[in-house]
Amino acid sequence: MGKAKAKAKQVKGSLKETTGRLTGDRKQEAKGHIEKLEGKAQEAAAKIRKPGK
C-alpha cells in the first residue's frame, strides 16, 4: 500500500472516530481509532520499503 492510500485510511479513521465520539457510539469510535492506527502502520511500512521517496 502506498503512502497516499495509507494517509487516506488515517483520515477516514479519524472521521469515523470523531463521528463516533460526537454521536456517543463507542463502537464506531473504536473502529475509527483502529483504522487510523492501521493507516499509520501502513504509512510507516511504505517508508521502510521505499526509503527516500
Side-chain angles (χ1 to χ4, degrees):
M1 180 175 276
K3 287 184 194 177
K5 285 186 179 182
K7 198 58 124 167
K9 191 166 190 169
Q10 288 178 47
V11 171
K12 186 177 167 188
S14 290
L15 289 173
K16 282 184 181 181
E17 186 177 15
T18 301
T19 302
R21 190 175 298 126
L22 291 173
T23 61
D25 185 349
R26 294 186 56 111
K27 190 174 182 180
Q28 180 75 10
E29 184 180 350
K31 284 181 180 180
H33 185 74
I34 290 168
E35 190 168 351
K36 187 171 64 171
L37 292 176
E38 287 173 349
K40 286 183 180 186
Q42 290 168 348
E43 184 178 17
K47 286 179 183 178
I48 290 169
R49 276 183 253 142
K50 297 180 183 179
K53 288 189 177 185

